[in-house]
Amino acid sequence: MNSPLINQTLPSFDELIHLAESNPEGFAQFKHDMCKEMIMSASEEMRDRLWAQQSHIDRVVDNCKNPNHANVVLMRELVSQMVKFQDVLEGDSCEDQERSSAQIIPLADWR
């Protein structure tokens, strides 16, 4: 069963800046709540993957020195993901090539 689509409304950019500067914990909670709402609106099949992706993004951002550094690193991550996506769509994935040449051994035979 698919969850209903949601329409999130963000405060203005200036309001978000003010919140981030004046109340970093409140900003972090706001971001978490918005992400949670969006992830929970996704299909059940996608939620675990989306939580994993959000966890990865949070870890990447936590290691950044400032917001500009975070933007550069996240852009790099996005480009990397888009290249992987493009490779899969075009059938150029190295993983596919490795899989096709792998020998598959049934578990019963492996024991």
Side-chain angles (χ1 to χ4, degrees), residues 87-101:
D87 288 347
V88 169
L89 287 176
E90 293 177 356
D92 295 338
S93 174
C94 293
E95 292 175 11
D96 287 342
Q97 293 170 359
E98 289 174 12
R99 272 192 219 135
S100 64
S101 64

Side-chain angles (χ1 to χ4, degrees), residues 4-40:
L5 294 176
I6 62 168
N7 184 16
Q8 291 183 319
T9 303
L10 293 174
S12 72
F13 183 75
D14 291 335
E15 290 174 297
L16 289 172
I17 288 174
H18 177 71
L19 180 59
E21 291 174 347
S22 66
N23 184 357
E25 295 83 17
F27 179 77
Q29 185 63 50
F30 174 77
K31 182 186 98 166
H32 174 77
D33 293 345
M34 294 296 281
C35 291
K36 180 178 180 180
E37 183 180 352
M38 186 58 68
I39 290 170
M40 294 308 292

Side-chain angles (χ1 to χ4, degrees), residues 32-100:
H32 174 77
D33 293 345
M34 294 296 281
C35 291
K36 180 178 180 180
E37 183 180 352
M38 186 58 68
I39 290 170
M40 294 308 292
S41 74
S43 67
E44 283 188 46
E45 299 85 33
M46 288 301 298
R47 287 182 193 155
D48 287 340
R49 294 182 74 183
L50 292 170
W51 279 120
Q53 185 66 41
Q54 185 59 48
S55 175
H56 176 71
I57 290 168
D58 290 340
R59 284 192 319 273
V60 166
V61 170
D62 286 345
N63 289 324
C64 293
K65 298 174 181 132
N66 58 55
N68 289 329
H69 183 219
N71 284 336
V72 169
V73 172
L74 288 173
M75 180 55 90
R76 238 184 268 141
E77 288 283 324
L78 179 60
V79 168
S80 173
Q81 291 296 319
M82 293 303 294
V83 167
K84 289 178 187 177
F85 185 61
Q86 181 181 11
D87 288 347
V88 169
L89 287 176
E90 293 177 356
D92 295 338
S93 174
C94 293
E95 292 175 11
D96 287 342
Q97 293 170 359
E98 289 174 12
R99 272 192 219 135
S100 64

